Amino acid sequence: MSGLAAAPVLSVSGLRKRYGDTPAVDGVSFAVGRREIVGLLGPNGAGKTTTINMILGVLEPSAGSIRVAGLDVATRRSKALERTSFAAVYAPLPGNLSLERNLRIFGLLYGVPDVRARVDDAIRRLDLDALRGRKCGVLSSGEQTRASLAKALVSDPDLLLLDEPTASLDPATARDIRVKIREFAAERGCGVLWTSHNMFEVQEICDRVLFLSHGRILLEGDPRALPAQHGKASLEELFIAVAREPLSLEQGAAP
Amino acid sequence: MKPSRVYAIVLRQFWLIRGSFARVFPLFAWAAIDIILWGFISRYLGVFTAAGIDFVPIFLGAVLFWDFFIRVMQGVTMAFFEDVWSRNFLNLFATPLSVSEYVTGLVLSSVGTSAIGLAVMILLATAAFGLPFAAYGLMAVPFLLILFVFGVSLGIFACAMVLRLGPAAEWFVWPIPALISPFAGVFYPIATLPAWMQGVAYALPPAYVFEGLRAVVAGGTVPAGALARGGILAAAGLLLACGFFARTYRHTVRTGLLARYTAESVS
């Protein structure tokens, strides 16, 4: 399924980031449509988090442009970020405030109109009712991940950036979260950019995947069809090939 | 600038402080200890001097104003450190929050915390040592205002320094008031200092405040020009500090330091 027929909610064009002579992201272009979940895959150091950081406006690109709902992140940062939210295991909510208070703070920062109602909705959606008064620092890692996801949903974003959102969750909770995110995206017309190293998860949740290696997109397509197109038995095998032999995939296309 | 975002920064500080004895206590404890210490020193000095000289408004008053300046500066930096300690920068700056909204939130938090410190100091100095705070008259307002603006400036400058150098640079921040105090003339006239130190002193707004304070206590008047110079210097310092913070923030975004703040450098 692709929402790209309409205007994409995220449009990335010619994105580059160099640290000295080292390219971290090297001319990446892609789009994410409304109600579309796009997987950003690749080995460690491929440039996934760097790309997400640039979309979030916390890292300045060396070149290229990023538009969220048509708004240029470089020139209309605040407006673009009102439409964007993210969750990542490396960015937990501050541990010294309760979950509910943290969510209210972030609701205010995102300019959410009815903060209390939106906080209640996010808490309910992620089954966090019993934890709403608990300080985030005392939550288990799985609960912290769900708390972070609640923060991402509280602003009712057009674009959701999820950097390994199920990394610390047990399989049952991870499945629940995938269902909830899928429901949220469909219900609110939100586009999702999802990174994961769990290829089973990617096949289950993503409408489309982008394989990133050495800062460049090597492959793009339907995660269920892509392995066969490249002579691999599974998405995991394809992932390993991207990680170990990126040149063969870049040059050779399908065997 | 959106008030709701500034409010979010202030509200977070309020919730953090309200729920924590470790945060409430320092708002007034160290200032109160200074008042008690200098209250007794002032009384003791009075024993050795001719009748009619009251050291309480001279020394204790000076300590009160100086501690207010320190509370203001630390009010800004402590609010900032809360985000350093809880590794909150990525979450915060991935929201629509702008640098000016964030800094305004820090400053407003400091207004609240420094006002508590000031109230406790005035209460204690008046009740325990008979400090005639009203004797400063209306001049207390510009004195406090200049010190407030300068305290905010130094607080913002210190935050920018920690943002640029990483969490460990916190230790550069605490001694800043002590480094300035010899030049500020808190306890002695600026004329006491050697020429080069006088040059530095007159480049700092507190020097004008404490010279003025002594003039008021001595029954004289404060030259309006000197007070205006202090005010202009404080305002200039604020503009420079805000510019430095904005520039530092842009640097951290350009180099990737903001996204990897705990690494302290990107090299």
Side-chain angles (χ1 to χ4, degrees):
Chain A
M1 142 176 101
S2 172
L4 282 176
V9 71
L10 171 66
S11 176
V12 172
S13 174
L15 194 64
R16 289 177 200 279
K17 183 65 189 177
R18 297 185 75 84
Y19 293 106
D21 292 333
T22 312
V25 172
D26 195 8
V28 164
S29 298
F30 63 91
V32 177
R34 289 195 179 275
R35 296 184 177 78
E36 188 184 30
I37 300 181
V38 175
L40 190 60
L41 312 181
N44 297 326
K48 303 184 295 294
T49 300
T50 303
T51 302
I52 285 179
N53 283 341
M54 285 191 280
I55 297 168
L56 286 170
V58 294
L59 178 63
E60 186 180 290
S62 305
S65 73
I66 300 162
R67 287 181 170 273
V68 176
L71 299 159
D72 191 331
V73 173
T75 56
R76 302 185 68 189
R77 179 189 162 278
S78 282
K79 283 282 170 204
L81 291 181
E82 275 177 12
R83 314 283 193 90
T84 311
S85 67
F86 92 111
V89 281
Y90 50 79
L93 292 178
N96 47 17
L97 275 188
S98 72
L99 170 65
E100 184 175 5
R101 285 182 171 177
N102 265 317
L103 295 183
R104 280 180 60 189
I105 295 294
F106 281 97
L108 287 167
L109 288 172
Y110 279 99
V112 172
D114 187 355
V115 180
R116 283 174 195 272
R118 289 295 306 155
V119 167
D120 286 345
D121 180 60
I123 284 177
R124 224 176 6 254
R125 210 176 260 277
L126 287 148
D127 298 328
L128 289 164
D129 255 316
L131 305 174
R132 64 190 303 150
R134 298 267 295 276
K135 283 192 176 179
C136 287
V138 300
L139 302 181
S140 71
S141 59
E143 289 165 346
Q144 285 191 27
T145 300
R146 284 193 289 143
S148 217
L149 282 165
K151 185 265 289 183
L153 301 190
V154 95
S155 62
D156 197 4
D158 287 338
L159 174 65
L160 194 50
L161 305 172
L162 303 176
D163 202 352
E164 301 187 43
T166 58
S168 55
L169 299 177
D170 64 71
T173 311
R175 175 178 290 181
D176 286 348
I177 292 297
R178 287 195 289 273
V179 170
K180 287 173 197 296
I181 298 292
R182 166 64 78 193
E183 280 172 4
F184 182 84
E187 195 181 302
R188 307 293 174 108
C190 155
V192 182
L193 188 64
W194 184 302
T195 80
S196 177
H197 288 145
N198 178 343
M199 294 304 113
F200 166 77
E201 170 177 278
V202 168
Q203 278 189 312
E204 186 184 296
I205 188 89
C206 294
D207 303 307
R208 191 159 55 92
V209 292
L210 309 166
F211 270 105
L212 212 56
S213 176
H214 299 292
R216 300 171 67 183
I217 293 176
L218 289 190
L219 301 172
E220 180 177 354
D222 183 332
R224 288 156 287 273
L226 213 49
Q229 287 167 11
H230 291 272
K232 304 293 178 193
S234 66
L235 196 62
E236 188 153 308
E237 262 193 42
L238 185 62
F239 184 99
I240 291 166
V242 168
R244 291 185 181 164
E245 312 146 13
L247 286 177
S248 65
L249 287 156
E250 190 177 24
Q251 293 161 355
Chain B
M1 189 177 293
K2 272 204 168 180
S4 69
R5 291 183 203 137
V6 176
Y7 174 62
I9 300 300
V10 177
L11 183 63
R12 175 169 142 71
Q13 295 301 324
F14 174 71
W15 276 338
L16 284 171
I17 290 169
R18 195 178 66 169
S20 163
F21 173 74
R23 289 180 177 90
V24 171
F25 189 66
L27 294 183
F28 57 84
W30 311 127
I33 287 169
D34 262 354
I35 292 295
I36 291 167
L37 180 68
W38 280 95
F40 286 123
I41 290 172
S42 301
R43 264 190 199 169
Y44 179 62
L45 287 174
V47 174
F48 297 101
T49 55
I53 298 180
D54 186 1
F55 283 99
V56 167
I58 299 172
F59 284 146
L60 194 58
V63 165
L64 188 146
F65 280 90
W66 181 245
D67 265 338
F68 171 70
F69 154 75
I70 295 174
R71 292 303 112 205
V72 172
M73 183 197 146
Q74 291 185 349
V76 176
T77 54
M78 285 299 290
F80 176 79
F81 288 153
E82 290 290 355
D83 292 318
V84 173
W85 295 329
S86 58
R87 300 177 172 199
N88 200 24
F89 286 145
L90 191 54
N91 277 319
L92 274 184
F93 290 112
T95 71
L97 180 73
S98 68
V99 171
S100 57
E101 288 162 346
Y102 179 62
V103 172
T104 305
L106 298 183
V107 172
L108 290 181
S109 302
S110 176
V111 171
T113 53
S114 59
I116 292 171
L118 181 65
V120 170
M121 286 192 292
I122 291 176
L123 203 69
L124 192 60
T126 309
F129 300 101
L131 174 75
F133 192 77
Y136 302 121
L138 282 177
M139 289 314 293
V141 176
F143 289 162
L144 288 173
L145 197 63
I146 290 172
L147 290 174
F148 175 78
V149 175
F150 187 58
V152 164
S153 311
L154 274 186
I156 294 171
F157 172 80
C159 294
M161 193 166 64
V162 175
L163 185 64
R164 175 67 184 82
L165 299 175
E170 182 189 322
W171 298 106
F172 290 137
V173 174
W174 304 117
I176 288 176
L179 285 173
I180 291 172
S181 62
F183 300 95
V186 182
F187 299 113
Y188 41 77
I190 301 298
T192 315
L193 299 171
W196 74 269
M197 283 183 80
Q198 287 187 35
V200 177
Y202 284 120
L204 298 170
Y208 299 92
V209 170
F210 292 104
E211 290 285 86
L213 200 70
R214 278 184 288 273
V216 169
V217 170
T221 54
V222 183
L227 209 56
R229 267 198 299 280
I232 290 166
L233 281 172
L238 182 62
L239 286 176
L240 282 173
C242 288
F244 181 53
F245 191 96
R247 192 183 161 90
T248 304
Y249 173 79
R250 281 196 299 273
H251 171 84
T252 63
V253 171
R254 193 170 56 249
T255 58
L257 187 58
L258 188 68
R260 293 178 287 180
Y261 183 66
T262 52
E264 299 183 3
S265 80
V266 285
S267 55

